[in-house]
Amino acid sequence: MSEPAHDDAPKRARRDDTEGNLAIVGRSITINRPRAELYAYWRDFSNLPSFMHAVKSIRMEGSDRTVWTIKAPAGQTVEIETAVTEDVEGEVIGWDSTENSQIETKGRVTFADAPADRGTIVTAEIAYTPPAGNLGRLVAKLFMAEPNIQARHELKRFKMLMEAGEIATGDNRKPTDGDE
Amino acid sequence: MRALTWHGNNDVRVDTHPDPEIVNPRDVILKVTSTAICGSDLHLFDGVIPGMKSGDILGHEFMGEVVETGSRSTLKKGQRVVVPFTISCGHCFFCENQQFSACDNGNPVEKQDASEMLYGHAMGAAFGYSHLTGGYAGGQAEYVRVPFSDVGPIIIPDGLEDDKVLFLSDILPTGWMAAENAQIERGDTVAVWGAGPVGLFAVQSAMLMGAEQIICIDHHPHRLELAQQFGAKTINFEETHVREALMEMTGGIGPDAVIDAVGMEAHGFVADNVLDVIKQKIGPGADRGHALRQALLACRKGGRVSVPGVYGGMLDKWPLGAMMEKGLQIKTGQTHVQKYSQDLLRRIGEGEIDTTFLISHRLPLEDAPMAYKNFRDNQNEWTKVVLKTA
């Protein structure tokens, strides 16, 4: 997901934020916790639904394949299968969708020390093809319409969970069933 | 439970709501014993703060008794606590640097988008103060859910009654931080616009910080008398040319530091304010800033500007040239309440600071709608309302 840039800004912040047929979105956030701890939490994919609210469940298929079940309206769900393509402990996790997926997507999350002991800079970058067809449109509407906003929200929830130990809510009572 | 509920501009009522419950591990539920109406609640009453929804429970100055604790709370049932209006996690970069009102983790993620668009960064969270600051239910109620209870609430020792400590929730630390932001030096004259609760606490604080002369500006004679009780000189802007008086009372230099304790709904029949009033009638998001403009022009060269007054949107006719050419420094922000809690509690306990002088009315919660109206419309006599739930 890198190509020569004219300035030092990441691709996702440039006016041309596409790579071939892929749209690139992403976000950086600084989390006041050690790099190793954040990497370890993320690398255990069964933790991800705790802050990725669109993800209903995650199922491991063999050693490097993961099936993501994504929530859709009216009780429907959509499945995406990904394979881990890159994994450096404490630094980066990358994934690609497989031929079994209904959409094409790839992404990576990196963990880097923030300056002056301010914790860790976590950057998530996701490339995807804007999906086509009826199912594609449904999927787009459900969870791809604003992948940038979704990435921002998920990273913020991750930060809350890691720093504060819980995800803030203004609700005065426990949710009854099925949030959002 | 019963709670003061916002229904629209000029329309607040005491309604029945479901009792709150523990939602997150660090929560407690508080049975409210005393809660106050803040001047900034009047901005909500007047409809000049965006992000309100009908049904919202107001109130960010409250205290009470812990009746339920979450699994990770450090409080115990039966403890009496005052709750800071800022909801702060205690662990993010900002909390660790004592900038509690800038906390990253109190404002729910989905509520952060609006202020992130409006201000460039998401706001911190507060109780009962619109969905921009999280949509949390406020404390003008019989019960309230308090998140991050291991960080915010101030445990009150026996023997200090509610009225002495309630204002640790907001207006006392806000006045204190306003004076601190004025960076008072020996010999300084400090001018304070607004003899409301925050202005009066700023006067008291500036005195304790060693100001040589404090001049308080307002148009309510009774409120100015209260400022005089703390040793301030006064200017009534309906009788006097404020800037001329400030120059003449400072040997032609101007105040070394100015404090705007008025905020977005300044009064006065002058040209800039009349235009601002019209814009504000059209919709929220336009600020009325006559007091701040006057303060910037009055401040001496190289002086300090402290702004505790609440602003929410855009202000035009801003004398930026005066700021630059005179080399003014400006400090502002929502109060980092938790930073000041223990020091101010000690000063109250030792009798150095008195807060009870301010309270003009003690009323049952059921009278809150009437109290809002009077606190806004009869400001001379209604200096502070404390609502009692029992």
Side-chain angles (χ1 to χ4, degrees):
Chain A
M1 250 175 283
S2 62
E3 64 171 56
H6 301 290
D7 58 21
D8 294 319
K11 182 73 179 167
R12 60 185 182 278
R14 289 172 62 195
R15 294 182 196 281
D16 174 15
D17 60 358
T18 57
E19 190 183 286
N21 64 335
L22 294 173
I24 295 176
V25 298
R27 180 91 168 186
S28 281
I29 199 164
T30 301
I31 302 182
N32 193 14
R33 299 298 304 169
R35 194 154 54 89
E37 179 186 323
L38 301 182
Y39 167 87
Y41 190 89
W42 195 298
R43 186 64 186 83
D44 179 355
F45 293 155
S46 65
N47 284 329
L48 298 182
S50 64
F51 62 91
M52 294 183 177
H53 285 181
V55 177
K56 188 176 175 192
S57 66
I58 282 175
R59 187 173 83 243
M60 295 304 296
E61 295 277 328
S63 60
D64 71 336
R65 298 214 163 188
T66 311
V67 178
W68 309 63
T69 305
I70 313 285
K71 285 178 204 165
Q76 289 188 295
T77 56
V78 174
E79 288 197 343
I80 300 173
E81 187 183 86
T82 59
V84 173
T85 54
E86 199 181 2
D87 186 8
V88 181
E89 188 168 350
E91 289 179 24
V92 59
I93 305 165
W95 62 90
D96 258 8
S97 55
T98 71
E99 65 287 352
N100 298 328
S101 276
Q102 289 157 323
I103 58 163
E104 186 190 346
T105 177
K106 60 178 179 171
R108 68 202 299 253
V109 56
T110 59
F111 305 85
D113 289 330
D117 295 324
R118 292 182 185 190
T120 305
I121 298 171
V122 180
T123 302
E125 210 167 47
I126 296 162
Y128 69 103
T129 34
N134 279 339
L135 178 64
R137 273 200 292 277
L138 177 69
V139 172
K141 211 169 180 178
L142 301 181
F143 75 105
M144 281 298 195
E146 292 289 359
N148 221 0
I149 293 175
Q150 194 177 324
R152 181 172 86 213
H153 284 186
E154 286 171 353
L155 284 175
K156 283 180 174 177
R157 284 194 203 97
F158 181 50
K159 176 181 161 77
M160 286 178 173
L161 203 54
M162 295 295 101
E163 288 184 341
E166 58 188 47
I167 294 170
T169 172
D171 292 344
N172 240 3
R173 299 177 69 82
K174 291 189 203 92
T176 43
D177 193 32
D179 50 357
E180 295 203 329
Chain B
M1 67 168 181
R2 302 287 285 164
L4 191 276
T5 313
W6 190 89
H7 286 271
N9 300 351
N10 295 306
D11 183 4
V12 292
R13 306 172 209 162
V14 178
D15 292 344
T16 301
H17 294 258
D19 287 353
E21 54 187 22
I22 301 281
V23 178
N24 271 337
R26 296 169 65 189
D27 291 354
V28 293
I29 303 297
L30 213 63
K31 184 179 193 303
V32 176
T33 51
S34 297
T35 173
I37 303 174
C38 181
S40 65
D41 287 330
L42 298 179
H43 300 319
L44 303 175
F45 190 47
D46 289 341
V48 297
I49 299 273
M52 292 297 294
K53 288 183 186 168
S54 180
D56 287 348
I57 299 172
L58 304 189
H60 57 269
E61 298 181 1
F62 58 91
M63 63 181 297
E65 183 194 326
V66 177
V67 291
E68 244 186 285
T69 55
S71 60
R72 290 186 60 205
S73 174
T74 51
L75 296 178
K76 293 176 179 59
K77 282 182 196 176
Q79 277 179 324
R80 275 175 75 227
V81 295
V82 174
V83 178
F85 77 92
T86 41
I87 300 174
S88 310
C89 80
H91 300 295
C92 66
F93 171 82
F94 298 100
C95 286
E96 285 199 346
N97 285 283
Q98 305 276 292
Q99 294 174 314
F100 292 97
S101 71
C103 173
D104 270 338
N105 296 324
N107 199 344
V109 167
E110 57 280 8
K111 307 279 182 180
Q112 292 188 16
D113 292 338
S115 56
E116 197 163 326
M117 275 170 59
L118 196 60
Y119 301 143
H121 292 85
M123 292 174 80
F127 290 96
Y129 212 77
S130 92
H131 291 260
L132 288 179
T133 62
Y136 285 93
Q140 286 162 10
E142 290 180 297
Y143 294 93
V144 62
R145 173 187 159 238
V146 178
F148 305 139
S149 63
D150 52 325
V151 172
I154 310 155
I155 299 166
I156 302 302
D158 291 338
L160 278 177
E161 58 265 38
D162 281 20
D163 290 355
K164 281 191 172 164
V165 292
L166 173 61
F167 301 146
L168 285 168
S169 53
D170 177 355
I171 50 175
L172 175 58
T174 296
W176 185 268
M177 187 168 109
E180 191 177 87
N181 281 345
Q183 302 164 78
I184 295 163
E185 294 171 5
R186 200 169 144 263
D188 270 1
T189 292
V190 180
V192 180
W193 274 256
V198 169
L200 290 167
F201 284 134
V203 165
Q204 237 188 117
S205 304
M207 202 60 90
L208 287 168
M209 291 177 195
E212 177 76 25
Q213 173 176 245
I214 299 170
I215 304 171
C216 195
I217 300 137
D218 204 300
H219 63 150
H220 295 298
H222 173 60
R223 289 186 170 205
L224 287 172
E225 274 167 31
L226 292 175
Q228 273 170 334
Q229 281 178 24
F230 292 105
K233 295 176 183 167
T234 62
I235 293 175
N236 185 329
F237 66 75
E238 287 182 349
E239 296 170 3
T240 298
H241 299 294
V242 174
R243 277 167 54 203
E244 192 179 335
L246 286 170
M247 288 297 278
E248 295 312 310
M249 293 162 83
T250 55
I253 292 171
D256 304 279
V258 296
I259 297 175
D260 168 13
V262 174
M264 65 196 291
E265 294 187 84
H267 291 98
F269 193 74
V270 285
D272 65 336
N273 200 38
V274 172
L275 284 170
D276 286 344
V277 169
I278 294 166
K279 275 190 300 184
Q280 220 166 36
K281 293 278 185 216
I282 297 168
D287 289 345
R288 261 155 64 197
H290 177 64
L292 182 54
R293 291 191 193 100
Q294 192 173 60
L296 290 168
L297 293 178
C299 190
R300 77 149 160 87
K301 291 179 283 185
R304 296 148 245 136
V305 182
S306 164
V307 186
V310 174
Y311 292 87
M314 304 290 178
L315 177 65
D316 55 16
K317 304 177 292 295
W318 169 262
L320 192 57
M323 272 195 73
M324 188 276 160
E325 299 296 349
K326 292 202 290 183
L328 304 182
Q329 301 174 47
I330 186 163
K331 281 196 159 194
T332 180
Q334 293 285 357
T335 308
H336 307 304
V337 180
Q338 292 86 339
K339 177 181 176 183
Y340 304 103
S341 296
Q342 290 307 319
D343 180 47
L344 292 174
L345 175 64
R346 180 186 57 79
R347 289 174 191 270
I348 290 170
E350 290 172 1
E352 190 178 295
I353 291 178
D354 168 50
T355 66
T356 55
F357 76 94
L358 191 62
I359 303 169
S360 57
H361 295 77
R362 292 171 181 82
L363 297 166
L365 177 65
E366 294 294 327
D367 289 348
M370 174 273 280
Y372 264 76
K373 199 171 180 323
N374 279 296
F375 188 41
R376 183 190 60 187
D377 297 338
N378 299 309
Q379 295 195 355
N380 191 44
E381 298 79 21
W382 290 63
T383 53
K384 190 72 181 176
V385 183
V386 174
L387 303 166
K388 303 284 181 183
T389 51

mmCIF file of all heavy atoms in Angstrom, chain A residues 112-132:
data_model
loop_
_atom_site.group_PDB
_atom_site.id
_atom_site.type_symbol
_atom_site.label_atom_id
_atom_site.label_comp_id
_atom_site.label_asym_id
_atom_site.label_seq_id
_atom_site.Cartn_x
_atom_site.Cartn_y
_atom_site.Cartn_z
ATOM 1 N N ALA A 112 3.638 1.500 16.667
ATOM 2 C CA ALA A 112 4.949 2.155 16.742
ATOM 3 C C ALA A 112 5.028 2.945 18.043
ATOM 4 O O ALA A 112 4.027 3.496 18.508
ATOM 5 C CB ALA A 112 5.139 3.091 15.554
ATOM 6 N N ASP A 113 6.211 3.008 18.641
ATOM 7 C CA ASP A 113 6.358 3.781 19.877
ATOM 8 C C ASP A 113 6.084 5.262 19.621
ATOM 9 O O ASP A 113 6.620 5.847 18.686
ATOM 10 C CB ASP A 113 7.783 3.633 20.430
ATOM 11 C CG ASP A 113 8.026 2.239 20.988
ATOM 12 O OD1 ASP A 113 7.049 1.619 21.467
ATOM 13 O OD2 ASP A 113 9.178 1.769 20.942
ATOM 14 N N ALA A 114 5.260 5.865 20.457
ATOM 15 C CA ALA A 114 5.051 7.306 20.385
ATOM 16 C C ALA A 114 6.233 7.997 21.067
ATOM 17 O O ALA A 114 6.897 7.394 21.918
ATOM 18 C CB ALA A 114 3.740 7.669 21.074
ATOM 19 N N PRO A 115 6.521 9.256 20.717
ATOM 20 C CA PRO A 115 7.656 9.932 21.343
ATOM 21 C C PRO A 115 7.434 10.183 22.835
ATOM 22 O O PRO A 115 6.296 10.255 23.297
ATOM 23 C CB PRO A 115 7.747 11.253 20.577
ATOM 24 C CG PRO A 115 6.438 11.428 19.921
ATOM 25 C CD PRO A 115 5.857 10.069 19.703
ATOM 26 N N ALA A 116 8.525 10.310 23.546
ATOM 27 C CA ALA A 116 8.507 10.748 24.951
ATOM 28 C C ALA A 116 7.561 9.934 25.829
ATOM 29 O O ALA A 116 6.832 10.486 26.646
ATOM 30 C CB ALA A 116 8.155 12.242 25.029
ATOM 31 N N ASP A 117 7.581 8.617 25.649
ATOM 32 C CA ASP A 117 6.757 7.734 26.484
ATOM 33 C C ASP A 117 5.270 8.086 26.456
ATOM 34 O O ASP A 117 4.582 7.969 27.473
ATOM 35 C CB ASP A 117 7.254 7.745 27.945
ATOM 36 C CG ASP A 117 8.645 7.164 28.064
ATOM 37 O OD1 ASP A 117 8.944 6.201 27.324
ATOM 38 O OD2 ASP A 117 9.447 7.686 28.869
ATOM 39 N N ARG A 118 4.810 8.533 25.322
ATOM 40 C CA ARG A 118 3.372 8.834 25.235
ATOM 41 C C ARG A 118 2.564 7.618 24.803
ATOM 42 O O ARG A 118 1.401 7.745 24.445
ATOM 43 C CB ARG A 118 3.140 9.989 24.268
ATOM 44 C CG ARG A 118 3.679 11.303 24.794
ATOM 45 C CD ARG A 118 3.398 12.434 23.837
ATOM 46 N NE ARG A 118 4.024 13.679 24.301
ATOM 47 C CZ ARG A 118 3.778 14.852 23.766
ATOM 48 N NH1 ARG A 118 2.930 14.971 22.758
ATOM 49 N NH2 ARG A 118 4.379 15.927 24.220
ATOM 50 N N GLY A 119 3.176 6.458 24.803
ATOM 51 C CA GLY A 119 2.442 5.250 24.466
ATOM 52 C C GLY A 119 2.755 4.782 23.067
ATOM 53 O O GLY A 119 3.914 4.808 22.641
ATOM 54 N N THR A 120 1.717 4.360 22.339
ATOM 55 C CA THR A 120 1.894 3.700 21.051
ATOM 56 C C THR A 120 1.032 4.380 19.999
ATOM 57 O O THR A 120 -0.137 4.677 20.257
ATOM 58 C CB THR A 120 1.470 2.220 21.171
ATOM 59 O OG1 THR A 120 2.209 1.617 22.237
ATOM 60 C CG2 THR A 120 1.731 1.466 19.873
ATOM 61 N N ILE A 121 1.609 4.600 18.817
ATOM 62 C CA ILE A 121 0.808 5.090 17.688
ATOM 63 C C ILE A 121 0.305 3.872 16.927
ATOM 64 O O ILE A 121 1.093 3.082 16.412
ATOM 65 C CB ILE A 121 1.634 5.997 16.768
ATOM 66 C CG1 ILE A 121 2.104 7.235 17.538
ATOM 67 C CG2 ILE A 121 0.810 6.403 15.543
ATOM 68 C CD1 ILE A 121 3.097 8.087 16.770
ATOM 69 N N VAL A 122 -1.008 3.711 16.921
ATOM 70 C CA VAL A 122 -1.627 2.591 16.213
ATOM 71 C C VAL A 122 -2.223 3.146 14.919
ATOM 72 O O VAL A 122 -2.984 4.108 14.946
ATOM 73 C CB VAL A 122 -2.738 1.944 17.072
ATOM 74 C CG1 VAL A 122 -3.378 0.786 16.321
ATOM 75 C CG2 VAL A 122 -2.179 1.485 18.404
ATOM 76 N N THR A 123 -1.848 2.537 13.800
ATOM 77 C CA THR A 123 -2.366 2.991 12.508
ATOM 78 C C THR A 123 -3.041 1.826 11.810
ATOM 79 O O THR A 123 -2.427 0.772 11.649
ATOM 80 C CB THR A 123 -1.220 3.524 11.627
ATOM 81 O OG1 THR A 123 -0.569 4.581 12.322
ATOM 82 C CG2 THR A 123 -1.748 4.043 10.303
ATOM 83 N N ALA A 124 -4.279 2.023 11.456
ATOM 84 C CA ALA A 124 -4.994 0.997 10.676
ATOM 85 C C ALA A 124 -5.227 1.551 9.285
ATOM 86 O O ALA A 124 -5.662 2.692 9.125
ATOM 87 C CB ALA A 124 -6.324 0.658 11.341
ATOM 88 N N GLU A 125 -4.900 0.740 8.277
ATOM 89 C CA GLU A 125 -5.127 1.176 6.903
ATOM 90 C C GLU A 125 -5.851 0.035 6.186
ATOM 91 O O GLU A 125 -5.443 -1.118 6.288
ATOM 92 C CB GLU A 125 -3.794 1.483 6.225
ATOM 93 C CG GLU A 125 -3.925 2.554 5.174
ATOM 94 C CD GLU A 125 -2.567 3.097 4.721
ATOM 95 O OE1 GLU A 125 -1.650 2.298 4.447
ATOM 96 O OE2 GLU A 125 -2.450 4.321 4.632
ATOM 97 N N ILE A 126 -6.901 0.381 5.509
ATOM 98 C CA ILE A 126 -7.709 -0.637 4.847
ATOM 99 C C ILE A 126 -7.895 -0.228 3.388
ATOM 100 O O ILE A 126 -8.223 0.934 3.096
ATOM 101 C CB ILE A 126 -9.096 -0.767 5.525
ATOM 102 C CG1 ILE A 126 -8.917 -1.266 6.966
ATOM 103 C CG2 ILE A 126 -9.997 -1.724 4.739
ATOM 104 C CD1 ILE A 126 -10.122 -1.025 7.835
ATOM 105 N N ALA A 127 -7.645 -1.167 2.473
ATOM 106 C CA ALA A 127 -7.917 -0.936 1.054
ATOM 107 C C ALA A 127 -9.071 -1.849 0.662
ATOM 108 O O ALA A 127 -9.161 -2.983 1.138
ATOM 109 C CB ALA A 127 -6.681 -1.255 0.228
ATOM 110 N N TYR A 128 -9.958 -1.351 -0.166
ATOM 111 C CA TYR A 128 -11.100 -2.184 -0.550
ATOM 112 C C TYR A 128 -11.580 -1.769 -1.923
ATOM 113 O O TYR A 128 -11.367 -0.632 -2.360
ATOM 114 C CB TYR A 128 -12.229 -2.059 0.482
ATOM 115 C CG TYR A 128 -12.893 -0.700 0.471
ATOM 116 C CD1 TYR A 128 -14.145 -0.513 -0.120
ATOM 117 C CD2 TYR A 128 -12.260 0.410 1.030
ATOM 118 C CE1 TYR A 128 -14.732 0.732 -0.146
ATOM 119 C CE2 TYR A 128 -12.847 1.654 1.009
ATOM 120 C CZ TYR A 128 -14.091 1.815 0.422
ATOM 121 O OH TYR A 128 -14.667 3.044 0.383
ATOM 122 N N THR A 129 -12.223 -2.714 -2.638
ATOM 123 C CA THR A 129 -12.899 -2.334 -3.876
ATOM 124 C C THR A 129 -14.310 -1.958 -3.518
ATOM 125 O O THR A 129 -15.020 -2.748 -2.894
ATOM 126 C CB THR A 129 -12.996 -3.507 -4.881
ATOM 127 O OG1 THR A 129 -13.144 -4.701 -4.113
ATOM 128 C CG2 THR A 129 -11.807 -3.577 -5.791
ATOM 129 N N PRO A 130 -14.741 -0.794 -3.923
ATOM 130 C CA PRO A 130 -16.154 -0.463 -3.708
ATOM 131 C C PRO A 130 -16.988 -1.560 -4.370
ATOM 132 O O PRO A 130 -16.843 -1.819 -5.559
ATOM 133 C CB PRO A 130 -16.306 0.882 -4.409
ATOM 134 C CG PRO A 130 -14.908 1.452 -4.441
ATOM 135 C CD PRO A 130 -13.993 0.277 -4.573
ATOM 136 N N PRO A 131 -17.771 -2.284 -3.615
ATOM 137 C CA PRO A 131 -18.416 -3.488 -4.128
ATOM 138 C C PRO A 131 -19.506 -3.199 -5.162
ATOM 139 O O PRO A 131 -20.109 -2.127 -5.157
ATOM 140 C CB PRO A 131 -19.020 -4.126 -2.881
ATOM 141 C CG PRO A 131 -19.054 -3.060 -1.858
ATOM 142 C CD PRO A 131 -18.061 -2.023 -2.205
ATOM 143 N N ALA A 132 -19.733 -4.185 -6.052
ATOM 144 C CA ALA A 132 -20.727 -4.029 -7.112
ATOM 145 C C ALA A 132 -21.843 -5.041 -6.917
ATOM 146 O O ALA A 132 -21.754 -5.929 -6.085
ATOM 147 C CB ALA A 132 -20.054 -4.237 -8.473
#
